[in-house]
Amino acid sequence: MDGLGAYGYTVPAATSRKPEIGYNVPDGVEIRGRYDGEFAKILTKEALQFVATLHREFKSHVKYALECRKEAKRRYNEGAVPGFDPATRYIREGDWVCPELPPAVADRKVEITGPVERKMVINALNSGAKVFMADFEDALSPSWENLMRGQVNLRDAVNGTISYHDKARNRVYKLNDQTAKLFVRPRGWHLPEAHIIIDGEPATGCLVDFGLYFFHNYAAFRRGQGAGFGPFFYLPKMEHSREAKIWNSVFERAEMKAGIEKGSIRATVLIETLPAVFQMDEILYELRDHSVGLNCGRWDYIFSYVKTFQAHPDRLLPDRVLVGMAQHFMKSYSDRLIWTCHRRGVHAMGGMAAQIPIKDDPVANEAALDLVKKDKLREVRAGHDGTWAAHPGLIPACLEVFNNNMGNAPNQIQTAKREDAANLTEEDLLQRPRGVRTMDGLRLNTRVGIQYLAAWLTGSGSVPLYNLMEDAATAEISRVQNWQWLRYGVELDGDGLGVRVNKELFGRVVEEEMARIEREIGKEKFKKGMYKEAAKIFTRQCTAPTLDDFLTLDAYNNIVVHHPKLASSRI
């Protein structure tokens, strides 16, 4: 079908199985995903019309923004580095502020994140966290089943009717009386939704996620969780304020359609790309009426550092475990984000604690929890208003740290101005990270990258590996760091002193790590999983002459399952 190649993947042929009944779609819209009665309650003709309207109105703006990303990449590959834009200096130096925070989310001390899987949604809302960020992005493998069931789950959660019967444990999960406030993270601008075709091309993935959720839930959310505001969102992967401007226009269009006040929708933007750190004021400015803050998406930020400097052999990263918040460029990023947000009257959210409880080793578990507490203490003392955790078991420890240091105050916007961060320069934000590059680092990247991708291909986007909860961001760091080391034939200076990274060495590492994975998980599970397919994709990505922008975009074709055109009908 014309237009399907625009996102850089090949759409597989439709399957021959015919559904008994089709979705009722508006003109120009075709559903190529499997028919399901529950999905049909989400994919109503009216909801699809709303999504189609957003797609048609904003697709050219999205295409232009993505072309601008390509142009920026070309400049960086020719030797340029990101920096502050002289043309928007007036915005950075202006004394404007964002509107007052909605009372429902003034206190966001601890937020839990996770995919939109039904049991996860219930447990996260019941976790004791202030906010649950329900994720259609890095923590979700975007199969048709996952996306549509996720929309069903969030509708039921907003309505307060969600429940889950765990037959294995004979236990029923339901919502508590007090629950976390719900934020939803749609996919990034670059990802298509190949199961929904609008005017002959794939729909824009994030507008599908946003549009379906907003259409079905804005009224109930505002009555319940939002106390007159909302819905609330997290916005990922931005590189420039022009992308925030598109989101602002999408929000205004949705508010107009729903007949609710401008500024009802509120969003936090993840600063998780290196170019975006130089655009924080501008991003808040473009989203002014809809902004509630910025977040340090630190894992994707490290990924973006490598991607931005892919043609700069003088900026090779050390082992990923050494690229923490103590590195000067990372600390500078966090400090400037806090200063920027508090100057504009919004939240400055901290990064993810990816640790998960180690049930069979109390000593190791205590050590992991101690690392989490130290990281959160650093964040709250720096001035962050809240933080992220990947597991309900971390919520009490994180809350304790923030409560002990903030008392009854809902946030630190007025008390932690961080004026010292006003003097941070471009050089501070770009300083080369220090540390060694080791064989262990190469092996860990390979082992984690393959195992994550194998899980992603079978429908899991949030994967516990080696006592950490891994999502697409950490897999991306693994991939691009391997690529960078291979591209420039890095000489290892740690445990593999004097060894150069090349394709032959990497091939041996892949073989050996595949054998290790099989030993660790068992032959049966290894055989049933998609580890060999994952290894092929990961190896191809790491050894490609040109670095692909996103691992998941390349792998997406492997989880697209098209059904015949009869899956859609017009009644």
Side-chain angles (χ1 to χ4, degrees):
M1 182 175 292
D2 291 342
L4 291 183
Y7 287 90
Y9 68 94
T10 305
V11 176
T15 62
S16 58
R17 189 161 57 109
K18 292 184 179 181
E20 295 177 4
I21 191 171
Y23 296 101
N24 182 12
V25 299
D27 287 343
V29 177
E30 182 186 342
I31 304 296
R32 298 293 301 274
R34 182 183 70 82
Y35 179 83
D36 182 282
E38 277 298 304
F39 299 174
K41 295 174 185 175
I42 298 295
L43 297 166
T44 62
K45 189 172 185 178
E46 295 77 15
L48 288 169
Q49 185 62 62
F50 177 61
V51 170
T53 298
L54 294 178
H55 174 83
R56 287 164 178 151
E57 182 170 348
F58 297 108
K59 66 179 182 179
S60 61
H61 299 276
V62 174
K63 184 177 180 181
Y64 176 70
L66 296 179
E67 286 299 318
C68 288
R69 286 188 185 182
K70 289 180 182 177
E71 173 59 21
K73 181 170 75 170
R74 184 191 62 77
R75 292 199 312 273
Y76 302 146
N77 285 350
E78 291 176 356
V81 299
F84 296 109
D85 185 353
T88 51
R89 184 174 176 178
Y90 73 98
I91 294 175
R92 292 192 299 278
E93 295 183 356
D95 59 1
W96 53 273
V97 293
C98 297
E100 191 174 347
L101 299 172
V105 287
D107 185 343
R108 296 167 61 187
K109 291 188 182 79
V110 181
E111 303 186 338
I112 189 169
T113 73
V116 287
E117 183 268 328
R118 197 167 184 86
K119 183 179 172 183
M120 174 71 202
V121 169
I122 298 169
N123 286 342
L125 289 170
N126 287 343
S127 67
K130 301 293 185 181
V131 165
F132 166 45
M133 188 202 77
D135 198 9
F136 283 100
E137 202 228 2
D138 272 3
L140 189 79
S141 174
S143 68
W144 179 247
E145 301 295 317
N146 284 347
L147 291 165
M148 290 303 107
R149 292 205 184 283
Q151 291 285 350
V152 171
N153 296 338
L154 293 188
R155 178 203 63 195
D156 293 349
V158 171
N159 289 333
T161 60
I162 190 170
S163 65
Y164 175 76
H165 182 202
D166 187 335
K167 293 177 182 176
R169 298 182 181 181
N170 195 26
R171 179 180 171 186
V172 175
Y173 294 80
K174 294 181 179 179
L175 293 180
N176 297 336
D177 292 337
Q178 292 290 320
T179 62
K181 294 294 187 287
L182 182 63
F183 278 59
V184 172
R185 178 164 71 171
R187 284 168 282 179
W189 287 121
H190 62 285
L191 290 167
E193 179 41 63
H195 299 96
I196 299 180
I197 310 301
I198 300 175
D199 303 332
E201 65 182 6
T204 307
C206 59
L207 296 181
V208 171
D209 302 337
F210 167 81
L212 293 176
Y213 172 73
F214 178 86
F215 184 88
H216 290 291
N217 298 293
Y218 77 87
F221 188 95
R222 284 161 56 77
R223 285 194 305 270
Q225 286 207 14
F229 287 89
F232 304 131
F233 294 91
Y234 258 100
L235 304 177
K237 299 289 188 290
M238 285 193 207
E239 295 188 12
H240 194 277
S241 61
R242 69 174 66 87
E243 299 172 29
K245 188 172 185 177
I246 302 172
W247 269 119
N248 196 66
S249 298
V250 170
F251 291 164
E252 289 179 348
R253 168 64 63 197
E255 288 165 341
M256 191 184 307
K257 170 73 175 174
I260 57 179
E261 301 86 353
K262 182 179 178 181
S264 295
I265 298 170
R266 295 297 179 93
T268 300
V269 173
L270 289 130
I271 301 301
E272 53 185 351
T273 70
L274 189 64
V277 80
F278 299 99
Q279 291 269 316
M280 291 192 290
D281 276 301
E282 291 89 336
I283 286 169
L284 288 175
Y285 186 81
E286 293 295 355
L287 273 166
R288 271 195 315 291
D289 293 330
H290 299 103
S291 182
V292 284
L294 304 175
N295 172 288
C296 282
R298 57 193 185 190
W299 308 122
D300 265 303
Y301 192 73
I302 297 166
F303 156 48
S304 178
Y305 187 96
V306 180
K307 188 165 72 168
T308 302
F309 291 130
Q310 61 185 271
H312 297 238
D314 59 331
R315 291 183 179 272
L316 303 177
L317 251 63
D319 285 6
R320 76 167 191 160
V321 297
L322 301 177
V323 188
M325 299 309 294
Q327 293 276 3
H328 185 76
F329 85 106
M330 295 295 285
K331 182 179 184 300
S332 300
Y333 144 67
S334 168
D335 289 348
R336 187 172 178 93
L337 183 143
I338 295 164
W339 172 69
T340 301
C341 288
H342 290 181
R343 191 171 168 224
R344 307 307 181 187
V346 291
H347 289 128
M349 302 302 295
M352 169 69 80
Q355 289 83 354
I356 54 181
I358 307 169
K359 295 179 181 178
D360 56 354
D361 190 338
V363 175
N365 188 62
E366 191 60 36
L369 204 57
D370 189 52
L371 284 175
V372 171
K373 289 177 181 177
K374 286 178 180 175
D375 184 46
K376 300 312 160 192
L377 187 60
R378 174 195 58 77
E379 287 184 326
V380 71
R381 286 179 174 172
H384 280 292
D385 301 294
T387 191
W388 273 18
H391 193 281
L394 300 182
I395 301 301
C398 295
L399 263 178
E400 182 183 5
V401 172
F402 271 79
N403 285 332
N404 286 348
N405 285 269
M406 287 172 58
N408 295 324
N411 54 64
Q412 302 192 83
I413 294 171
Q414 299 302 324
T415 57
K417 292 297 188 182
R418 290 305 308 271
E419 296 295 347
D420 55 310
N423 298 318
L424 288 168
T425 64
E426 291 176 351
E427 289 72 24
D428 288 310
L429 293 162
L430 296 174
Q431 189 186 93
R432 293 163 178 79
R434 297 183 174 92
V436 296
R437 290 176 281 274
T438 70
M439 183 66 79
D440 275 351
L442 182 65
R443 289 187 180 281
L444 180 64
N445 284 346
T446 303
R447 200 161 61 249
V448 167
I450 290 172
Q451 288 185 88
Y452 178 81
L453 189 51
W456 192 90
L457 291 171
T458 53
S460 296
S462 185
V463 187
L465 293 172
Y466 309 111
N467 304 317
L468 295 174
M469 192 64 77
E470 305 279 8
D471 70 2
T474 44
E476 289 285 33
I477 297 171
S478 299
R479 171 183 73 97
V480 297
Q481 184 165 60
N482 279 9
W483 182 90
Q484 184 188 54
W485 289 7
L486 280 159
R487 173 72 174 79
Y488 295 107
V490 160
E491 183 174 323
L492 300 177
D493 51 7
D495 58 353
L497 188 62
V499 174
R500 285 204 175 273
V501 179
N502 55 35
K503 286 187 178 181
E504 290 72 29
L505 174 68
F506 181 59
R508 290 200 305 274
V509 166
V510 170
E511 282 185 26
E512 291 166 6
E513 294 309 310
M514 285 287 279
R516 175 171 172 173
I517 292 167
E518 185 174 8
R519 286 195 305 273
E520 288 178 348
I521 68 173
K523 288 188 176 182
E524 196 62 31
K525 186 176 178 183
F526 185 85
K527 190 177 178 180
K528 289 181 179 178
M530 294 188 71
Y531 295 94
K532 290 181 180 178
E533 292 87 346
K536 285 179 183 176
I537 295 171
F538 188 74
T539 300
R540 184 176 74 242
Q541 288 263 312
C542 291
T543 57
T546 304
L547 181 67
D548 280 356
D549 286 340
F550 294 98
L551 170 66
T552 49
L553 187 55
D554 176 62
Y556 181 51
N557 185 50
N558 291 268
I559 62 169
V560 172
V561 181
H562 276 182
H563 285 251
K565 292 184 179 181
L566 289 176
S568 305
S569 63
R570 294 178 185 85
I571 299 172

